[in-house]
Amino acid sequence: MNNALIINDLHLKELEDEAIFVMREVAAQFEKKVILFSGGKDSIVLVHLAKKAFWPAKMPFSLMHIDTGHNFEETLKFRDDLARELGVELIVKYVQDSIDKGRVAEEQGVNASRNKAQSVTLLDAIDDLNIDVAIGGGRRDEEKARAKERFFSHRNEFGHWDPKNQRPELWNIFNGHKNMGEHFRVFPISNWTELDVWQYILNEKIELPCLYYTHRRKIFKRNGVHLAWAPFMQLKPDESVFETDVRCRTIGDITCTGVTLSNARSLEEIISEIAATRVTERGGRYDDKRSEAAMEDRKKEGYF
C-alpha cells in the first residue's frame, strides 16, 4: 500500500481538535463572523470543521464569497448548494461592482486578472457589513508569506497586515482585542499541510467540486503553467488552446488557476499523486509568479 494512503488518525484528530478550538474562540470573542468561502477544498474543510464544532446547533458563521466574475461555474454551483443545505447566510460581493463604482481599475492585456482587485471588494464588504472577523483557509505550508501568519491575524483600520507587528500566541491564548475599524483574519488550519487536508477529506468523506478530479478541459500553456481557457481570456500569438485531461489542485479566479495534467479520478489517486510531486501547491498559481513577493504584498494590502 502507498504510504501516503496510511492515515494517521491521531495526527488528524489533533489537527481537527486544534482547528475546532480556534473556531470556538472566534465564536466567543467576536460578533459579526464570516467564513471566507471560495468553493475550494480548504474553505470546504473549514465549513465541515465548523459544523462539527457547534453540532447539533447551527454554526454561528455566515459564508462570504468575493466573486471576481471569472470563477468556475462548478464552484459557484457547489457554493450555492452547500449554503442552501446548511441553511446559513451566503454573502456574495462582486468585483464587477467595485469596478463599476470606480473603486478599482480593471487590468488590461493578455495577463489581465481580477485576482488582485478582490482585496478592495473584500475590505469594502468588511467595512460595510461591520465584520470583525473573517475566517480563512490559509495554511503555513502554502507559501513563504503565509508561513509568517499567526492563527489570529490582526488587521488595522485600513485592512492592512503588518507581519512584524503580530501578537504572541503562547499556550493557545488568542488576543482578539481590537479598536474601532480594525478586524481580524483567523486561520484555523494554519498547521495543516496539503496532504493533511486531502487525507482528512478522504477520512471524513467530504464532498468536493468535480474540478478537483480529472476531467476533460480546454487549456493553454503560459510561462510553464497550464491554465484553463475561458472565452474572456486573451492569448499571446504563440499560444494555442488544446483539450486534455486535467484537474485543479487549488481553485481561484480562472485567469490565475493553474491546472495539473492528471489521471487522478479518486481521492486515493489524488493523495498518491500529491505525495509524489515535487511541485508545491501554489506552484501552479499564475498570480504568484508576478513578482518574488507577490503574495506578501497582496496580504499587506488586505488580500485573503
Side-chain angles (χ1 to χ4, degrees):
M1 179 181 289
N2 189 315
N3 289 336
L5 296 178
I6 301 175
I7 298 175
N8 185 335
D9 288 331
L10 178 59
H11 172 65
L12 291 181
K13 185 65 170 63
E14 289 173 347
L15 290 174
E16 180 188 72
D17 288 346
E18 179 181 62
I20 286 175
F21 175 78
V22 172
M23 285 189 163
R24 288 173 176 165
E25 281 292 303
V26 170
Q29 294 193 42
F30 300 99
E31 294 186 14
K32 184 66 174 180
K33 308 172 280 285
V34 299
I35 291 177
L36 296 175
F37 190 80
S38 66
K41 67 182 186 310
D42 296 322
S43 58
I44 292 170
V45 165
L46 283 181
V47 172
H48 182 82
L49 289 165
K51 286 167 55 182
K52 295 189 78 168
F54 300 98
W55 181 264
K58 186 166 70 174
M59 67 180 187
F61 311 123
S62 301
L63 304 184
M64 186 163 78
H65 181 218
I66 305 302
D67 191 336
T68 66
H70 294 162
N71 297 101
F72 291 95
E73 286 298 323
E74 294 91 335
T75 58
L76 298 182
K77 183 180 185 304
F78 189 94
R79 174 200 72 189
D80 295 344
D81 290 346
L82 182 61
R84 193 178 304 112
E85 175 192 333
L86 295 175
V88 298
E89 179 186 25
L90 173 62
I91 303 166
V92 182
K93 294 297 181 178
Y94 299 92
V95 170
Q96 185 63 53
D97 290 342
S98 299
I99 294 171
D100 293 343
K101 294 174 184 176
R103 292 284 295 140
V104 66
E106 176 111 53
E107 292 184 0
Q108 303 297 321
V110 294
N111 290 313
S113 174
R114 291 182 172 183
N115 200 49
K116 186 177 180 181
Q118 293 179 92
S119 299
V120 174
T121 310
L122 172 61
L123 292 177
D124 284 350
I126 287 172
D127 184 53
D128 293 343
L129 300 172
N130 294 316
I131 292 168
D132 53 5
V133 64
I135 303 170
R139 306 188 324 271
R140 296 191 181 109
D141 75 317
E142 288 183 89
E143 201 272 344
K144 57 188 176 184
R146 288 187 169 175
K148 301 177 182 179
E149 196 88 68
R150 303 283 171 85
F151 281 104
F152 274 42
S153 179
H154 175 261
R155 306 298 168 105
N156 65 21
E157 65 271 27
F158 303 106
H160 295 170
W161 171 65
D162 182 0
K164 296 180 181 178
N165 188 29
Q166 298 186 85
R167 297 173 180 179
E169 294 180 343
L170 304 175
W171 306 291
N172 287 334
I173 298 175
F174 303 113
N175 180 2
H177 176 76
K178 63 181 182 61
N179 297 314
M180 183 71 70
E182 299 175 344
H183 74 279
F184 276 81
R185 308 288 174 82
V186 174
F187 304 98
I189 61 172
S190 289
N191 287 332
W192 298 45
T193 66
E194 182 188 11
L195 196 57
D196 291 331
V197 170
W198 281 110
Q199 289 180 327
Y200 187 75
I201 289 169
L202 175 63
N203 217 27
E204 296 286 304
K205 299 179 175 60
I206 299 173
E207 290 189 21
L208 296 175
C210 58
L211 292 169
Y212 279 110
Y213 302 95
T214 294
H215 59 285
R216 201 80 175 169
R217 182 173 292 276
K218 291 182 178 179
I219 68 169
F220 65 97
K221 191 172 184 178
R222 176 174 294 171
N223 296 341
V225 177
H226 289 98
L227 293 169
W229 178 80
F232 54 79
M233 298 174 73
Q234 297 183 43
L235 297 177
K236 297 179 181 179
D238 61 340
E239 294 173 343
S240 60
V241 175
F242 60 98
E243 192 171 294
T244 189
D245 289 339
V246 297
R247 71 174 192 86
C248 292
R249 191 170 167 189
T250 177
I251 296 176
D253 186 285
I254 293 176
T255 60
C256 61
T257 299
V259 295
T260 301
L261 304 180
S262 173
N263 291 314
R265 290 180 166 82
S266 68
L267 288 173
E268 291 84 356
E269 290 174 340
I270 289 172
I271 289 171
S272 295
E273 184 178 271
I274 290 170
T277 188
R278 293 179 176 271
V279 179
T280 63
E281 182 177 7
R282 292 191 69 92
R285 285 296 292 261
Y286 195 73
D287 51 327
D288 288 349
K289 299 183 182 300
R290 293 193 171 202
S291 73
E292 188 67 24
M295 170 62 83
E296 182 156 344
D297 290 342
R298 282 178 289 141
K299 282 183 68 64
K300 289 177 180 178
E301 294 169 1
Y303 184 74
F304 290 57

